[in-house]
Amino acid sequence: MMDNKKVPVGRFAPSPTGRMHLGNVYAAIMSYQSVKARGGRWILRIEDLDSQRSRLEYARQLEDDLLWLGLQWDEGGLDNIGPNGPYCQSQRSEIYAEHLAKIKAKGLTYPCSCSRADILATQAPHQSDGRVIYGGTCRPPKMPTIVPEPEGRYSTRLWVPDSEISFIDRNFGKQTFNLAHDCGDFILQRSDGQWAYQLAVVVDDALMGVTEVVRGADLLLSTAQQIYLYNLLGYQIPEFAHIPLKTNSAGQRLAKRDSAMSMAELRARYSPAEVIALALGHV
Ligand code: GLU
């Protein structure tokens, strides 16, 4: 019998903000196949932190689309199958709060009351690619520092060190980022209380026992941010396999609003096997 600890655990973690497109389908298939080929388990986690854009009906549709494709999860989903739930991020606030408290106790976070306009006005120079790097207006002069929590609304920002984080991606090879230069101090909880993806994804992947993360290549830099958080929280870092992003006929990265490649259109035109072949680039 296989040692239980060795069974690979993968996950698909979609945001229910619209119908899946071919790129999402590709990520789902790749993460599913990777663990299933080795007798592993596949988790479906609903990443619905963005309460403005997430909808229960999209999550239901997502489940229906996955089942139509033949991708049945072993754990998770709206029915919270399995021991590590709840599997919707909107229901995991207390868990994130406990983890944020641990990081705060290390003196590595600070309250930030900058508006988006302030941040744009004071961002570090040289960001020609559209990434906004926090200029450090609210950062205490010396870190670590336990900063008293002020009155009023503020977000909680994590201080990042000026040092390199490297990891080996299964598809893209060795990746190295310097968080201070590549992303800057980043938010863990927004001023309206919304948890940041970076914190939630690390806490969830760690507590759900995920051993490998297969997802789109747009999250390579996020992986460095997440590795920093894994280390701060003392959790084991999973393996990472980022996959190339799908593009539309104009060469732009697919978005949920691109109806041509959405599951609604794909299901109307093709069989599940044909959609899978399309997603894998076999046709
Ligand atoms: N929820 C993210 C998305 O739908 C995926 C995050 C991840 O796989 O880590 O883009």
Side-chain angles (χ1 to χ4, degrees):
M1 232 179 78
M2 212 184 233
D3 176 357
N4 236 357
K5 286 200 195 89
K6 297 263 166 63
V7 170
V9 179
R11 67 7 169 229
F12 180 51
S15 305
T17 56
R19 201 79 189 256
M20 283 199 288
H21 56 61
L22 201 62
N24 305 129
V25 172
Y26 183 41
I29 298 169
M30 295 302 281
S31 63
Y32 176 91
Q33 283 186 344
S34 175
V35 286
K36 288 291 160 184
R38 289 171 292 138
R41 285 188 302 124
W42 193 58
I43 299 176
L44 172 62
R45 184 172 66 238
I46 308 291
E47 301 213 321
D48 56 352
L49 289 175
D50 182 344
S51 56
Q52 303 278 313
R53 293 171 60 229
S54 301
R55 301 251 185 291
L56 181 60
E57 68 252 34
Y58 287 139
R60 288 209 183 99
Q61 184 66 63
L62 223 141
E63 292 198 338
D64 189 68
D65 285 339
L66 289 174
L67 294 175
W68 182 84
L69 287 163
L71 304 176
Q72 168 76 64
W73 50 100
D74 304 293
E75 199 180 311
L78 292 170
D79 290 338
N80 285 318
I81 302 163
N84 301 308
Y87 293 88
C88 289
Q89 290 187 324
S90 58
Q91 295 163 24
R92 297 175 64 79
S93 252
E94 281 173 26
I95 304 174
Y96 305 139
E98 279 165 28
H99 284 79
L100 179 60
K102 280 188 200 161
I103 302 174
K104 278 188 177 170
K106 293 177 189 284
L108 294 176
T109 64
Y110 55 88
C112 173
S113 50
C114 290
S115 65
R116 182 145 180 95
D118 297 335
I119 294 169
L120 287 175
T122 58
Q123 68 171 312
H126 313 307
Q127 289 312 308
S128 53
D129 62 359
R131 252 184 298 141
V132 176
I133 297 202
Y134 184 57
T137 311
C138 293
R139 185 196 301 130
K142 232 180 123 208
M143 294 299 279
T145 304
I146 305 266
V147 188
E149 312 252 305
E151 293 288 316
R153 282 156 71 93
Y154 56 87
S155 51
T156 299
R157 221 173 252 285
L158 177 66
W159 171 84
V160 300
D162 184 2
S163 56
E164 287 186 342
I165 291 195
S166 291
F167 60 96
I168 308 288
D169 183 84
R170 241 197 252 160
N171 295 325
F172 285 83
K174 184 167 180 190
Q175 302 290 311
T176 302
F177 294 97
N178 177 308
L179 291 185
H181 296 171
D182 293 326
C183 76
D185 295 351
F186 60 92
I187 287 184
L188 297 181
Q189 188 177 24
R190 283 179 12 175
S191 61
D192 61 1
Q194 186 178 307
W195 297 102
Y197 156 72
Q198 306 294 1
L199 177 68
V201 77
V202 168
V203 169
D204 291 350
D205 282 339
L207 296 186
M208 293 176 188
V210 168
T211 62
E212 57 171 63
V213 171
V214 179
R215 61 185 175 196
D218 53 327
L219 292 169
L220 276 166
L221 170 60
S222 289
T223 296
Q225 296 170 255
Q226 292 166 21
I227 287 174
Y228 180 47
L229 284 169
Y230 276 103
N231 289 334
L232 289 182
L233 292 168
Y235 285 132
Q236 186 160 357
I237 300 166
E239 274 185 54
F240 293 96
H242 289 81
I243 55 173
L245 298 179
K246 296 271 176 201
T247 51
N248 62 18
S249 50
Q252 297 147 338
R253 178 181 153 188
L254 283 188
K256 289 204 172 97
R257 59 186 175 279
D258 280 318
S259 57
M261 290 294 183
S262 102
M263 273 303 271
E265 182 72 20
L266 294 168
R267 276 180 74 160
R269 291 178 57 190
Y270 304 108
S271 68
E274 285 168 336
V275 173
I276 289 175
L278 268 176
L280 296 178
H282 292 171
V283 280

